[in-house]
Amino acid sequence: MNGTENSIQKVNKKRPRSTGLVPLILLLGVLFPLLLMPLIAIFIFASRSGLDGFLSALSQADAQFALRFSFIIASVAALINGVLGTFTAYVLSKYRFRGNQALSVIVNLPVAIPTVVVGTSLLLLWGPIGLLGKYLDPLGIQPMFTPVGVLLAHLFVTFPYMYGAVRPVLDELETTYEEAAYTIGASRWQTFRFVLLPALTGGLFSGSLLTFAHSLGEFGATIMVSGNLRLRTQTAPLYIFAQFEAGNIEAANAVAAVLAITSFILFFVLLRITQRKTVQVT
Amino acid sequence: MSIILSELTKRFGENLVVNKVSLEIQNGELFVLLGSSGSGKSTILRMIAGLTEVDAGRIELDGRDVTFLPPQTRGTGFVFQNYSIFRHMTVLENIEFGLRIRKTPLEERRQRSEELLELVGLSGLGSRFADQISGGQRQRVALARALAYQPAVLLLDEPFGALDVKIRAQLRERLIDIQRQLNVTTILVTHDQEEAFELGDRIGVIERGDLIEVGNPEELYHRPKTEFVATFIGNGNVLVGRAEGGQVKLGSTILPFPKNAPFHDEGAPVRILFRPETVVLQDQPVLQKSDIHMLAQGLVIQRVFVGSQQRIRLEVDGLQGVRPIAPPPAYGQRMTHIVALQQSLSSGDRFRTGESFWIGVRDYHILAPTGLKILTCYDESPGGEAAFEFGARLAEASRGPTTLLTVIEHNQALAAAKEKLELLRPKYYPHPSHFETRVRQGASAAEILLEAQDGHYEVVVIGQRGRTVNPNLAGMGSTAWQVLNQAAVPVLIVQSPRPNIQRILICTAAGEPGKSDVRFGGRLARTTGAQATVFHIRRPRSTGAEKKRTDRHLRQAQSTLESLKVNCEIKVIDEAPLPEGILSEAEQGDYDLIVVGAPAPRSPQQFRWKDLDSHIVNGTTRPVLIVPMVE
């Protein structure tokens, strides 16, 4: 407690704050209905029928599958993009070639594209009548409307998060560290393994969490490519949507509450990491 | 021979960063590369380590050609200025890294790194991380890390740059100890002279990519060969006198050439270096002591107390015709400055500002002669291009310093003109450090003459100059005409391109006026390796005495040229009309350069332009050098 009080005092010394209450009240007046009330609503509805109702809603096979499927897809996406994103960041940061700039922009594009559009474009590529899909379909290979299709969509949508977390760290790390390793005799791989990777742990961790969190909540692309098949390709957000449409508000709410809590936990862990980082820097 | 560099060259884009550096470093030697920032010294180090690719040249380490090998296989230990200690490893793990990569057994590498910790004086700190130790300690960890795998060569890039003075001094001593103990061949890069003197077995001075001079610290300090080293290292006084009758004329003083002084042509400028501590200040010009040479009387203008000594700056008025190089004259400074170091005494300062003293030197050193100092005037006319090309060729042959000058009107942009000149730099081969560009604003002829005088150039190269070619001015532009008439130094007028300098025609009159053009033509022939022809046309109806005098003059000319090791012949023609005789000889012999004499300039109003020279310039398109008589 003392520590926090001290730090607040220090901050106050640096920058005196105005004591006006009006702006604060206005801000809360905006934030409360906009951000906080909807979240509260989930928990109120989820707990309406008590803990038993909540648990029974969760124990339905559909709900169980949807949650498990979502967590698996998110983990695999985080793993694959962890490797791919780090590799991309390494290549784009350490190698100078023509088109480097252009590639750096392209890699970040998925953030800007609406997820529904991502879903559509995947269908147009891999779908039964898609550019590649029409050749694969006769061979019996049909990635769309399967878990693989869902994974493809999630990899696409979450690709920039890992890259974005790792690239700045690599850019900031002075090249003399690598050069030192080279002169000592370490190969490129050894240098990456023993010198760069340990320096990247923070970035890798927060990048993975971000990827995981975004994958967990992904909806737009998933609904396009999954076909929303129960017990086959239905992720948790799709399940919530389907149940809500069917009028099973309790079932929807229970899963929504689980997603919300998971997201909160991830969010606070991330917050702790970034805070620790800034403390280290100062 | 541990390290051999041959003609190592590196360019970054258009910039020549390292220019044909050749160097041999002995086993166990501690070699220091000294240079200012951006001189290319770190690039050389990085090329040896394999961190920067080589454009041309060869690197040999321990008899192995490593020019194209990756850094991993070269076996060098490199210490970076920022140390680059791996932050997530402990001190011990850092030091062990090289051994771990080489798969040395754990026991052995623990033992080796403990030894190294001991050696660099960090025992007991092995388990700390980089952010838990001080800068000086980090530097020592970096050193231990680079030594752990017993590299063939240790490379240190400004290893003490980021440390404060006291720690620096301690670490230097430790480095010398360690280097001697391990006997590892070492190259250290620094910009700090003191460091270089203290550490280096030998020092290589590098400037703008050129390795200018290599020697042990004492040689470089007391007996440098080049002006750059004389002024860059220590605070030297460098003055330019003239070689006259086998001695050095410095103002009104005549100094003998010391033993082993480099050979100077008669009349050539002589650069004399004397260090401040060899300057003697006296109340009286006493000359009894034979080892002190009196220079002149000077006025104290500044006294700085620096502890055991005091640095005194004097202003000297009586050094006629002497050009000061160091201390570098300030803009607009008329008088020569000389810096003296005197012991500081507790009894007070004898050397108050305003007091006057006689300045003597106890010891002086003569620098190796430079090539011709050339001023090339550039404009965008075809003649200007031809002048630039010929000037560049001359500079290449003589390896002297060149300044490229352009004069613009007051309303023109300086920066644009400067940029235009800089674009010509790549055409100028091969010593970029000897090449300067300068832009002046004002009337062309006046500015060229001023620059020629201020810069103490030895020859001015000029094109036909002038927008309008005036038949009254012997077919030249008014600028060239004025420069030719008034310059006190030889002027080379280039009217059309000439691809090489192989044959020089030296036209001489008998007697005194003829001597200066033979001398200067001889210098040119020597520097360019050209064949010289001394050409004389006898006067009509000359008497026997005149003939004798002519013969003697020509014999002397021949021996002068032969003493310069110039391949020469003498050609005498009887009674030909003057300009036509010379012109037809020039055409027949296809000479690349015609040298003619001229009387010395008198005053700006009184032109010395004589019919003869103007007819020659008018009658040929070959380059003509007009040498004024030295009085």
Side-chain angles (χ1 to χ4, degrees):
Chain A
M1 275 309 275
N2 260 335
T4 46
E5 271 171 23
N6 277 343
S7 62
I8 288 166
Q9 276 170 358
K10 268 177 205 160
V11 169
N12 282 349
K13 261 182 219 164
K14 274 183 207 157
R15 193 177 49 180
R17 287 183 176 171
S18 72
T19 48
L21 275 176
V22 181
L24 183 62
I25 290 166
L26 274 176
L27 183 64
L28 285 178
V30 174
L31 289 185
F32 194 67
L34 207 62
L35 299 179
L36 297 175
M37 274 170 72
L39 291 175
I40 292 167
I42 294 178
F43 291 102
I44 289 175
F45 271 90
S47 60
R48 207 170 246 181
S49 49
L51 191 63
D52 288 345
F54 180 74
L55 287 180
S56 71
L58 276 187
S59 62
Q60 282 178 35
D62 288 14
Q64 292 263 318
F65 175 85
L67 278 172
R68 209 181 313 124
F69 186 56
S70 264
F71 277 96
I72 290 171
I73 286 285
S75 304
V76 175
L79 199 72
I80 294 179
N81 270 349
V83 176
L84 278 183
T86 309
F87 177 68
T88 311
Y90 178 75
V91 171
L92 291 182
S93 171
K94 299 297 172 194
Y95 291 80
R96 296 278 156 268
F97 53 89
R98 278 173 68 96
N100 186 315
Q101 290 278 42
L103 267 182
S104 299
V105 173
I106 289 172
V107 157
N108 273 316
L109 267 185
V111 177
I113 302 174
T115 49
V116 181
V117 178
V118 174
T120 318
S121 51
L122 282 173
L123 279 178
L124 292 178
L125 182 67
W126 297 109
I129 54 156
L131 289 177
L132 290 175
K134 66 181 168 198
Y135 301 109
L136 294 175
D137 202 34
L139 304 172
I141 301 169
Q142 173 51 273
M144 290 296 105
F145 316 119
T146 67
V148 176
V150 176
L151 184 64
L152 276 178
H154 283 224
L155 288 178
F156 188 112
V157 171
T158 59
F159 188 82
Y161 299 109
M162 195 67 203
Y163 169 80
V166 171
R167 173 86 195 253
V169 187
L170 279 176
D171 280 347
E172 262 174 48
L173 204 68
E174 281 173 85
T175 50
T176 52
Y177 288 95
E178 287 159 78
E179 290 176 343
Y182 293 155
T183 55
I184 288 169
S187 64
R188 261 188 189 276
W189 164 247
Q190 284 170 322
T191 303
F192 180 78
R193 170 69 192 81
F194 296 119
V195 177
L196 292 182
L197 204 58
L200 288 178
T201 42
L204 285 173
F205 192 57
S206 57
S208 308
L209 285 187
L210 272 173
T211 309
F212 187 86
H214 276 271
S215 171
L216 211 55
E218 158 53 31
F219 183 81
T222 319
I223 195 140
M224 295 297 290
V225 300
S226 72
N228 201 2
L229 305 172
R230 286 181 57 239
L231 296 173
R232 255 184 68 84
T233 61
Q234 197 174 51
T235 62
L238 298 191
Y239 174 82
I240 296 167
F241 181 70
Q243 295 301 318
F244 210 91
E245 284 232 301
N248 298 330
I249 295 175
E250 269 180 30
N253 270 332
V255 173
V258 171
L259 280 192
I261 289 166
T262 314
S263 306
F264 283 153
I265 293 168
L266 289 179
F267 176 72
F268 283 112
V269 171
L270 261 179
L271 205 64
R272 281 302 291 271
I273 295 173
T274 45
Q275 268 178 349
R276 209 177 53 201
K277 247 192 220 159
T278 47
V279 168
Q280 272 179 349
V281 166
T282 51
Chain B
M1 209 69 70
S2 203
I3 306 175
I4 302 177
L5 311 180
S6 22
E7 307 228 313
L8 208 55
T9 301
K10 180 71 194 173
R11 280 173 193 281
F12 288 135
E14 281 286 286
N15 278 349
L16 190 60
V17 191
V18 175
N19 184 15
K20 293 193 177 169
V21 168
S22 297
L23 189 61
E24 295 187 355
I25 294 167
Q26 311 289 334
N27 276 326
E29 191 176 3
L30 204 174
F31 190 90
V32 175
L33 271 178
L34 176 66
S36 45
S37 60
S39 58
K41 54 191 190 308
S42 293
T43 309
I44 295 177
L45 211 62
R46 292 176 56 86
M47 285 197 282
I48 297 173
L51 298 174
T52 298
E53 272 177 40
V54 175
D55 281 352
R58 217 174 102 92
I59 303 170
E60 212 174 277
L61 299 181
D62 268 344
R64 191 163 62 115
D65 183 353
V66 301
T67 317
F68 301 106
L69 292 185
Q72 287 89 346
T73 57
R74 293 197 186 193
T76 61
F78 203 108
V79 175
F80 293 85
Q81 192 176 0
N82 66 359
Y83 318 136
S84 296
I85 304 295
F86 305 135
R87 272 175 275 188
H88 53 276
M89 294 186 198
T90 61
V91 166
L92 211 60
E93 285 169 344
N94 261 286
I95 297 174
E96 279 181 3
F97 188 61
L99 299 172
R100 201 167 127 207
I101 294 293
R102 285 167 179 73
K103 305 219 160 51
T104 312
L106 182 70
E107 295 251 315
E108 198 183 322
R109 69 187 199 222
R110 270 291 129 86
Q111 194 195 336
R112 173 97 185 116
S113 27
E114 290 290 350
E115 277 170 23
L116 279 163
L117 272 182
E118 180 92 38
L119 182 72
V120 298
L122 290 175
S123 328
L125 297 181
S127 56
R128 302 256 182 115
F129 283 92
D131 51 2
Q132 294 168 324
I133 55 176
S134 71
Q137 290 170 332
R138 260 177 248 173
Q139 199 266 336
R140 282 181 275 166
V141 174
L143 185 61
R145 186 178 66 182
L147 289 169
Y149 45 94
Q150 284 159 321
V153 179
L154 182 62
L155 306 170
L156 308 163
D157 190 2
E158 301 252 10
F160 310 114
L163 300 169
D164 62 50
V165 180
K166 211 174 156 189
I167 293 173
R168 224 186 268 194
Q170 291 169 1
L171 286 179
R172 266 185 225 161
E173 280 171 27
R174 193 179 281 272
L175 178 68
I176 294 181
D177 284 349
I178 292 172
Q179 200 266 340
R180 292 279 174 274
Q181 211 172 318
L182 302 179
N183 202 33
V184 55
T185 311
T186 305
I187 302 183
L188 182 142
V189 156
T190 183
H191 65 273
D192 185 337
Q193 289 175 30
E194 207 185 309
E195 201 168 292
F197 280 147
E198 211 173 298
L199 294 172
D201 293 325
R202 282 191 305 155
I203 298 173
V205 178
I206 189 152
E207 166 69 0
R208 295 203 225 177
D210 282 319
L211 184 64
I212 292 188
E213 214 176 320
V214 175
N216 70 42
E218 280 174 34
E219 262 169 28
L220 288 185
Y221 185 77
H222 290 297
R223 296 179 295 281
K225 291 188 187 68
T226 58
E227 180 182 316
F228 181 81
V229 173
T231 53
F232 182 70
I233 290 181
N235 297 302
N237 296 291
V238 181
L239 302 177
V240 185
R242 206 156 279 283
E244 264 188 38
Q247 291 184 307
V248 187
K249 190 166 188 293
L250 193 68
S252 52
T253 314
I254 302 283
L255 300 169
F257 273 110
K259 256 184 258 163
N260 306 327
F263 172 77
H264 282 72
D265 296 333
E266 180 73 11
V270 182
R271 293 168 303 166
I272 299 175
L273 162 73
F274 48 100
R275 296 288 177 191
E277 63 272 16
T278 65
V279 174
V280 181
L281 299 180
Q282 296 179 328
D283 297 322
Q284 299 294 323
V286 198
L287 283 167
Q288 283 99 321
K289 274 195 185 170
S290 57
D291 60 335
I292 293 177
H293 304 272
M294 277 297 143
L295 286 185
Q297 208 172 9
L299 221 58
V300 176
I301 54 167
Q302 193 190 47
R303 189 184 79 97
V304 181
F305 175 75
V306 286
S308 63
Q309 290 184 307
Q310 44 188 338
R311 196 167 53 235
I312 294 144
R313 193 181 256 258
L314 300 108
E315 190 177 68
V316 182
D317 200 3
L319 286 170
Q320 281 300 313
V322 169
R323 175 166 71 99
I325 291 175
Y331 183 76
Q333 175 186 317
R334 196 169 57 86
M335 280 181 261
T336 305
H337 287 183
I338 286 176
V339 177
L341 267 184
Q342 299 287 318
Q343 231 167 23
S344 67
L345 303 167
S346 59
S347 53
D349 48 333
R350 213 171 117 231
F351 306 103
R352 275 182 291 270
T353 46
E355 300 264 317
S356 116
F357 290 93
W358 283 90
I359 301 166
V361 287
R362 217 180 295 124
D363 191 18
Y364 57 91
H365 170 73
I366 310 276
L367 303 181
T370 52
L372 286 173
K373 192 171 183 200
I374 304 167
L375 176 67
T376 303
C377 307
Y378 178 76
D379 62 338
E380 277 177 327
S381 67
E385 299 273 358
F388 169 75
E389 276 165 24
F390 202 81
R393 202 162 300 121
L394 202 58
E396 183 188 339
S398 80
R399 307 192 158 252
T402 294
T403 301
L404 188 62
L405 171 77
T406 197
V407 184
I408 56 173
E409 310 258 332
H410 279 294
N411 55 10
Q412 282 176 294
L414 263 170
K418 181 90 181 166
E419 213 168 282
K420 221 175 265 172
L421 290 186
E422 284 297 326
L423 285 180
L424 292 168
R425 190 183 275 274
K427 285 196 192 171
Y428 180 85
Y429 179 83
H431 278 271
S433 59
H434 286 164
F435 185 71
E436 262 186 90
T437 59
R438 189 155 301 162
V439 180
R440 276 174 172 264
Q441 281 178 315
S444 307
E447 293 299 325
I448 290 170
L449 287 167
L450 265 176
E451 176 67 33
Q453 192 185 337
D454 289 356
H456 296 262
Y457 294 95
E458 292 179 81
V459 60
V460 176
V461 182
I462 192 167
Q464 222 159 352
R465 291 296 293 202
R467 276 162 223 92
T468 54
V469 173
N470 190 333
N472 293 333
L473 307 179
M476 274 180 285
S478 57
T479 305
W481 194 72
Q482 280 178 48
V483 171
L484 276 174
N485 270 297
Q486 292 174 42
V489 293
V491 176
L492 176 59
I493 176 155
V494 184
Q495 307 181 69
S496 60
R498 192 79 203 166
N500 42 28
I501 314 173
Q502 283 170 355
R503 293 170 60 79
I504 298 180
L505 180 67
I506 303 172
C507 310
T508 180
E512 245 355 278
K515 284 183 184 170
S516 34
D517 49 326
V518 170
R519 270 196 201 126
F520 199 83
R523 273 190 79 191
L524 272 188
R526 191 175 67 99
T527 54
T528 56
Q531 148 98 33
T533 303
V534 177
F535 185 66
H536 179 75
I537 297 178
R538 282 192 208 279
R539 278 170 199 244
R541 294 181 297 282
S542 48
T543 61
E546 274 176 337
K547 268 189 181 158
K548 251 186 199 159
R549 194 158 59 93
T550 309
D551 289 344
R552 197 170 61 239
H553 172 73
L554 292 173
R555 264 202 313 280
Q556 283 172 346
Q558 186 162 17
S559 52
T560 303
L561 292 176
E562 274 164 4
S563 78
L564 293 172
K565 311 236 171 3
V566 169
N567 190 0
C568 69
E569 58 168 341
I570 307 284
K571 212 165 188 179
V572 183
I573 287 183
D574 281 319
E575 300 178 21
L578 255 181
E580 291 83 356
I582 291 175
L583 288 172
S584 71
E585 172 65 23
E587 290 308 316
Q588 276 168 24
D590 192 24
Y591 290 94
D592 300 306
L593 180 62
I594 305 167
V595 182
V596 289
R602 289 195 169 74
S603 70
Q605 284 78 32
Q606 195 180 348
F607 291 130
R608 67 159 185 261
W609 195 242
K610 290 281 164 19
D611 280 348
L612 175 63
D613 293 352
S614 75
H615 282 309
I616 292 171
V617 174
N618 208 4
T620 183
T621 56
R622 294 166 199 279
V624 181
L625 177 72
I626 290 135
V627 184
M629 199 181 118
V630 180
E631 286 183 25

